[in-house]
Amino acid sequence: MAEATTFSNATQILEPFRGIKRVTLEEYFTSGHRTCQGCESALVMKLMVKASGPRTIVLGSTGCMYVANTTYYTTPWVVPWMHTQLGSSGAAALGTAAGLKALMTKGKMKSEPINVIAFCGDGGGADMGLNGISATLTHKEYNCLILLYDNESYANTDIQLSGSTPYGANTTFSPPGKAKRIIHTRWKKNTAPMLAAGHPECRYVATVCASYAVEMMNKVRRALTIGGPTFIHSLDPCPKGWDYDPMLSHELGELAIETGIFPLYEVEDGQLRYYGKTKAIVDGRGRKPVREYLLKQGRFAHFTEEDLAYFQAKVDEMWDKWEVPGVVPFKRMDAAKAAIDPKS
Ligand SMILES: Cc1ncc(C[n+]2csc(CCOP(=O)(O)OP(=O)(O)O)c2C)c(N)n1
Ligand code: SF4
Ligand SMILES: [Mg+2]
């Protein structure tokens, strides 16, 4: 039996990496996986555990990052890793954190901060597992991070559309046809703000993109340091599902930010902070036209000028009309007042 210790629910203090040269060399997600060439989600896994370090348990729901990472008798995971059912990242995170806490409280395990990270895809997290993630984010007594890697489809089962698939994209469930060009007519879910606004005691919610690797790792480190249940949403270019040359993954991540389609920010204790090029946009720098991003991807190859204009107008609205630009889609109070009283 482990030595009896007084349990304290402390978290590891993970200081931010101050620049790329300060990033640790050790890897906890190494060779042995079989993701596609240029898979950004695999890079996200690698950066996520590099940021958290060796005292980490990772739990992963079904999807590419389970299937391609655990081919029979091979695995890239150096830290303890467990598969969980497709919609269960929230429950797995909470249960593991609660289990560790119980064992440490009873003195059955040495009392020390251990990072618990559960990842999920957009299908498993933003669609099927949303209820479990929501429940977890209300349990402030447990330290665990849920990281949603968003490749914008149910990729592992051959690119079916999810609630996170962008408007108009060609997926196996939304192939453009002659009679109807745009089959998928819904706008993408706004997952991170929904979770931030809906869980006032969740202390940290952030968005990331692996094209900005140091920033991404530092947000993981911040989430784990601040503790309680926390949530990070990562946008991950996927060469197979998005249909582009794998060498463009990094560039597409950058373009998603520079066009304003996917803003980078964090919400810590209710305080919103924009990051990098998103901050520059908020401060007045122009956004790149969405066509520069969309037309590099085969999933939008059927787009006409009309479709591009519609997409651009929707993104413009995020920045020009939303109460909190790029984040909260309520119309601005001044615009709402003007609509009620044309004289004001
Ligand atoms: C309950 C359940 N329904 C369906 C499946 C089949 N399935 C396995 S992976 C997957 C896609 C998951 O998509 P996502 O969470 O976005 O992860 P990705 O494959 O894109 O990495 C599906 C539908 C399953 N494993 N379990
Ligand atoms: S389909 Fe996409 S997410 Fe899945 S392994 Fe390939 S590139 Fe990665
Ligand atoms: Mg997915």
Side-chain angles (χ1 to χ4, degrees):
M1 192 198 267
E3 223 175 284
T5 46
T6 312
F7 174 73
S8 106
N9 205 21
T11 57
Q12 281 185 28
I13 308 300
L14 298 164
E15 296 293 342
F17 295 129
R18 307 233 175 257
I20 193 75
K21 290 186 183 157
R22 301 291 172 92
V23 175
T24 46
L25 291 176
E26 291 79 13
E27 300 290 356
Y28 306 104
F29 177 95
T30 60
S31 54
H33 64 83
R34 292 201 180 168
T35 65
C36 309
Q37 185 184 25
C39 173
E40 204 75 345
S41 296
L43 178 61
V44 165
M45 297 294 117
K46 180 183 156 97
L47 298 173
M48 174 185 88
V49 274
K50 202 183 218 332
S52 65
R55 301 305 285 158
T56 300
I57 297 173
V58 179
L59 313 143
S61 73
T62 324
C64 283
M65 290 305 107
Y66 158 52
V67 177
N69 282 331
T70 49
T71 311
Y72 189 54
Y73 273 157
T74 70
T75 181
W77 292 107
V78 176
V79 293
W81 180 87
M82 186 191 85
H83 169 237
T84 186
Q85 192 267 344
L86 185 50
S88 299
S89 60
L94 191 62
T96 304
L100 287 173
K101 188 171 177 176
L103 289 171
M104 290 179 195
T105 309
K106 289 179 181 170
K108 293 193 171 178
M109 208 180 142
K110 186 176 152 229
S111 183
E112 64 167 316
I114 294 180
N115 302 312
V116 174
I117 307 179
F119 66 75
C120 51
D122 47 307
D127 288 353
M128 296 168 71
L130 200 54
N131 54 354
I133 294 174
S134 172
T136 299
L137 295 184
T138 65
H139 281 274
K140 61 181 174 182
E141 67 276 32
Y142 298 117
N143 301 324
C144 52
L145 164 65
I146 297 169
L147 186 142
L148 188 152
Y149 71 93
D150 181 4
N151 51 23
E152 300 192 321
S153 78
Y154 290 77
N156 179 60
T157 38
D158 207 17
I159 324 296
Q160 290 83 34
L161 73 81
S162 77
S164 303
T165 301
Y167 170 88
N170 181 352
T171 68
T172 47
F173 277 2
S174 56
K178 282 197 182 126
K180 205 162 187 288
R181 193 178 61 253
I182 301 290
I183 302 291
H184 175 44
T185 55
R186 305 191 296 265
W187 198 250
K188 182 182 169 97
K189 273 189 194 180
N190 197 19
T191 303
M194 165 172 43
L195 293 174
H199 304 88
E201 291 190 304
C202 164
R203 296 189 56 202
Y204 192 83
V205 170
T207 60
V208 299
C209 177
S211 298
Y212 304 94
V214 176
E215 178 198 312
M216 187 231 148
M217 286 188 281
N218 284 341
K219 284 177 174 162
V220 170
R221 286 168 80 80
R222 186 66 194 147
L224 294 170
T225 300
I226 199 163
T230 50
F231 179 81
I232 292 182
H233 183 171
S234 173
L235 181 73
D236 302 359
C238 160
K240 182 180 168 197
W242 299 14
D243 187 13
Y244 64 84
D245 188 317
M247 75 174 185
L248 293 180
S249 289
H250 183 90
E251 185 182 343
L252 279 170
E254 286 184 332
L255 280 169
I257 316 305
E258 289 168 341
T259 52
I261 291 173
F262 189 80
L264 292 177
Y265 55 85
E266 67 183 9
V267 183
E268 180 174 329
D269 289 331
Q271 189 68 47
L272 171 71
R273 187 180 308 137
Y274 294 103
Y275 270 79
K277 289 182 179 164
T278 301
K279 182 170 184 315
I281 290 171
V282 175
D283 291 343
R285 188 197 287 180
R287 284 173 273 119
K288 287 192 175 168
V290 298
R291 64 189 303 132
E292 287 189 27
Y293 172 72
L294 300 177
L295 296 182
K296 286 193 169 58
Q297 305 171 52
R299 62 180 174 158
F300 301 111
H302 55 290
F303 266 32
T304 60
E305 285 301 323
E306 187 191 340
D307 304 329
L308 291 166
Y310 176 79
F311 206 109
Q312 184 67 63
K314 290 287 280 183
V315 174
D316 290 349
E317 194 179 298
M318 284 168 63
W319 294 100
D320 301 339
K321 301 213 171 119
W322 286 14
E323 176 70 31
V324 181
V327 182
V328 179
F330 302 148
K331 294 285 184 303
R332 280 223 293 273
M333 290 306 279
D334 49 356
K337 266 198 214 146
I340 297 164
D341 177 8
K343 284 179 272 154
S344 67

